[in-house]
Amino acid sequence: VRLVESGGGSVQAGGSLRLSCEAFGYPYSSYCVGWFRQAPGKERERVATIDTDDETIYADSVKGRFTISRNKANHTLYLQMNNLKVDDGGMFYCASHRGNCPLRLSTMDYWGKGTLVTISS
């Protein structure tokens, strides 16, 4: 199983980025998938997830600005990020879990290597 993120970069506050995560090697549609962020010196946190029934959940800090989606045909997960704020920056990781989305991040089965997002003021 492999997850490969792309789309990170540097943008000014108020700008947009679209992250992608391509999955290889497992039955994508029966897994929970999501995006997680880790800022320097902080713990990794959940940004948005899609459960096996396609229910989406967002962190309060990104609601209304970020949209998570997935294309089951090409096994790709996306995160559209609009109206970016300086505090949104960090390393963004894609992860997946067999079955329903777990409460604990440590329970996610597979992780990508991450893509860096930097927001300047």
Side-chain angles (χ1 to χ4, degrees), residues 11-59:
V11 295
Q12 287 190 320
S16 298
L17 280 174
R18 188 192 195 207
L19 305 183
S20 299
C21 171
E22 191 170 3
F24 302 89
Y26 66 97
Y28 186 69
S29 62
S30 61
Y31 278 61
C32 158
V33 289
W35 290 98
F36 302 82
R37 174 180 62 210
Q38 187 163 19
K42 295 186 177 181
E43 292 188 355
R44 194 171 298 186
E45 60 181 358
R46 190 188 311 258
V47 174
T49 54
I50 300 180
D51 216 324
T52 55
D53 60 358
D54 291 332
E55 178 184 13
T56 56
I57 295 178
Y58 295 90

Side-chain angles (χ1 to χ4, degrees), residues 28-117:
Y28 186 69
S29 62
S30 61
Y31 278 61
C32 158
V33 289
W35 290 98
F36 302 82
R37 174 180 62 210
Q38 187 163 19
K42 295 186 177 181
E43 292 188 355
R44 194 171 298 186
E45 60 181 358
R46 190 188 311 258
V47 174
T49 54
I50 300 180
D51 216 324
T52 55
D53 60 358
D54 291 332
E55 178 184 13
T56 56
I57 295 178
Y58 295 90
D60 288 342
S61 61
V62 306
K63 284 180 180 176
R65 299 187 297 119
F66 290 13
T67 302
I68 189 171
S69 61
R70 65 176 161 183
N71 184 323
K72 294 180 181 180
N74 64 13
H75 291 197
T76 302
L77 180 70
Y78 303 98
L79 185 68
Q80 178 66 44
M81 305 186 294
N82 298 328
N83 190 21
L84 283 160
K85 303 177 180 180
V86 173
D87 289 346
D88 290 327
M91 187 68 80
F92 280 71
Y93 298 90
C94 151
S96 66
H97 176 78
R98 186 186 308 172
N100 296 117
C101 291
L103 293 177
R104 292 187 296 179
L105 272 61
S106 59
T107 313
M108 298 295 284
D109 294 312
Y110 305 107
W111 292 86
K113 293 184 179 180
T115 186
L116 183 64
V117 172

